[in-house]
Amino acid sequence: MRRMENKRVDGETARRGGNRNSRFLITGAKGCIGAWIVKNLVERGDQPWIFDTDPKAHRLEALLPDERLRAAGFIQGDVTQTESLERAVVEHGITHIIHLAALQVPACAANPVLGAQVNVLGTLNVFEVARRHRDLVRRIVYASSAAVFGPEEFYGGVTVAEDAVLHPGTHYGVFKQCNEGNARVYFATESISSIGLRPWAVYGVGRDQGLTSAPTKAIKSIVMRRPYTIRFTGGFDMQYVDDTARIFLKCAEADLPGARVYSLRGSVIQMEEFIDTLEKVAPGARKLIRVEGKQLPIAADLDDSALVRDLGEVPRTSLEEGIRETIGIFEKLNREGRLDTSDLEE
Ligand SMILES: NC(=O)c1ccc[n+]([C@@H]2O[C@H](COP(=O)([O-])OP(=O)(O)OC[C@H]3O[C@@H](n4cnc5c(N)ncnc54)[C@H](O)[C@@H]3O)[C@@H](O)[C@H]2O)c1
């Protein structure tokens, strides 16, 4: 695939609408949520810049035809390298940074030092570059995580408020908590505004790694008619990736000063309800999908009323509709011989 790094193929003149006053840089844009944010941006005529270490772009290629993808600019860069991030922001006149680049729970557990370098220092670099170029960068939205919260029992089993005490049980969650704290300090000391968003289990095409990617892998297995085992049980919250992407964009374009942090909420369910919904959408699913293990130690029932209060209505695709749409895209990719199933081989 002839993709050009560090430049757009068809240049700035091809801008077909979108928001002419905003120039987006998305770190980790080749990941699951990032690919859907890029999809939303190019489909409305924007030309986002993609900043990611990964030389491949398989999630983007699954979602967007080549001619659409050519509207995006590709920068192979590492958020731990301040200079390359700074160069990207200055050279391309970036006004909005959506910062997603991170290592997920298993990678942070396997190598906490590397996890901190990417997840904590990488986020500090984003804020530092925004501080140095406050004339350019107007908004930062960054991915925090529901993993900043402790287990359900810690909160007495009630809906967990946005400002409840954080009690992360993983290095990953502690790193995200640290980022929320640093964002608060940047606003208090430098007036750098930001919004941190806390997704739970995002699902949909492109969700192929991380602790909570299992429900999406189960959906893919059904399309491939293969058995699959989900290794956690109990309550969790499934958020359709396109909803998550749209909320990131809405936050990036909202005029909300301060260091804000919002929990996201999708379908808060028990694992059995997920299996029931799968069976309803794809009869026979129950025979292929096994479930075992413990509940994840993160409260699932999170209150997102602050997000709704500040943003207005947020997209909420029903679980049934999200599964249906995901199956539809997987089936299409499979028919075209383009469905990557390497994530099912573990
Ligand atoms: N997916 C979820 O359910 C979920 C839930 C809570 C929080 N989050 C957070 O949302 C963000 C995006 O999640 P995702 O599922 O899209 O992740 P992902 O793992 O699919 O993608 C992460 C991307 O970051 C890139 N990356 C990693 N290290 C980098 C570095 N040093 N510099 C530049 N790029 C780098 C990777 O190449 C990858 O493309 C992450 O910060 C994640 O912690 C995700």
Side-chain angles (χ1 to χ4, degrees):
M1 155 137 263
R2 58 212 136 83
R3 188 95 53 232
M4 296 174 74
E5 294 299 328
N6 249 328
K7 66 199 259 198
R8 269 186 229 292
V9 179
D10 54 351
E12 297 299 311
T13 49
R15 188 177 279 269
R16 292 178 303 273
N19 187 340
R20 279 156 213 273
N21 298 318
S22 307
R23 297 166 68 94
F24 286 86
L25 180 111
I26 301 133
T27 74
K30 290 181 172 176
C32 171
I33 299 172
W36 282 83
I37 292 176
V38 171
K39 176 178 188 293
N40 273 282
L41 281 169
V42 300
E43 284 180 350
R44 74 179 201 191
D46 272 49
Q47 299 187 317
W49 286 94
I50 286 164
F51 187 95
D52 201 299
T53 41
D54 194 344
K56 300 186 301 308
H58 67 282
R59 300 183 189 94
L60 285 163
E61 287 161 9
L63 291 178
L64 284 161
D66 255 23
E67 60 278 13
R68 282 266 196 213
L69 204 42
R70 275 198 284 272
F74 286 79
I75 302 164
Q76 194 173 345
D78 185 333
V79 288
T80 66
Q81 308 298 313
T82 323
E83 310 76 54
S84 74
L85 194 59
E86 185 162 25
R87 199 175 327 115
V89 166
V90 173
E91 276 181 11
H92 306 302
I94 297 302
T95 57
H96 293 65
I97 302 178
I98 299 183
H99 172 51
L100 307 169
L103 301 187
Q104 298 216 16
V105 175
C108 289
N111 191 341
V113 173
L114 182 63
Q117 279 164 352
V118 176
N119 293 16
V120 178
L121 300 185
T123 304
L124 278 173
N125 276 333
V126 168
F127 278 87
E128 269 307 287
V129 169
R131 183 180 67 81
R132 288 187 211 159
H133 300 284
R134 53 173 83 233
D135 52 322
L136 277 176
V137 180
R138 300 201 297 269
R139 307 292 308 162
I140 301 175
V141 179
Y142 64 95
S144 182
S145 169
V148 293
F149 292 111
E152 189 173 290
E153 313 81 77
F154 183 81
Y155 302 98
V158 298
T159 302
V160 180
E162 225 96 16
D163 56 356
V165 175
L166 304 183
H167 191 65
T170 55
H171 287 299
Y172 169 89
V174 171
F175 299 154
K176 295 291 189 185
Q177 177 181 17
C178 180
N179 292 340
E180 291 185 6
N182 283 327
R184 183 167 42 77
V185 173
Y186 270 105
F187 182 68
T189 60
E190 301 284 348
S191 302
I192 305 283
S193 285
S194 63
I195 297 179
L197 294 173
R198 298 169 174 157
W200 218 108
V202 175
Y203 73 99
V205 173
R207 188 72 213 283
D208 53 23
Q209 58 184 5
L211 194 61
T212 58
S213 58
T216 304
K217 291 176 183 168
I219 299 172
K220 192 184 275 184
S221 301
I222 289 163
V223 170
M224 300 307 293
R225 314 239 188 313
R226 287 195 205 169
Y228 183 79
T229 304
I230 298 176
R231 297 187 200 282
F232 65 91
T233 55
F236 66 120
D237 181 359
M238 291 188 66
Q239 300 167 359
Y240 187 50
V241 61
D242 194 39
D243 294 351
T244 312
R246 285 168 195 260
I247 293 170
F248 269 86
L249 275 177
K250 221 171 163 182
C251 285
E253 294 181 312
D255 187 17
L256 294 169
R260 295 166 191 250
V261 184
Y262 299 111
S263 299
L264 302 189
R265 186 182 175 98
S267 304
V268 178
I269 50 165
Q270 295 293 314
M271 185 58 83
E272 302 81 74
E273 292 173 76
F274 171 60
I275 303 296
D276 288 349
T277 314
L278 268 184
E279 178 67 28
K280 186 171 174 202
V281 177
R286 198 188 299 282
K287 289 207 188 74
L288 291 172
I289 308 304
R290 279 191 49 208
V291 176
E292 63 181 34
K294 295 195 224 146
Q295 172 149 347
L296 296 177
I298 304 167
D301 186 0
L302 304 183
D303 181 15
D304 73 344
S305 54
L307 180 74
V308 176
R309 181 196 62 215
D310 293 351
L311 272 197
E313 269 320 295
V314 293
R316 287 189 206 277
T317 301
S318 71
L319 183 59
E320 194 177 321
E321 188 50 38
I323 292 174
R324 214 178 281 288
E325 193 167 305
T326 304
I327 288 180
I329 305 174
F330 280 154
E331 280 178 343
K332 178 172 179 290
L333 290 169
N334 194 30
R335 277 196 305 276
E336 294 167 354
R338 299 197 298 126
L339 185 62
D340 179 359
T341 55
S342 54
D343 58 322
L344 302 180
E345 321 287 333
E346 338 171 307

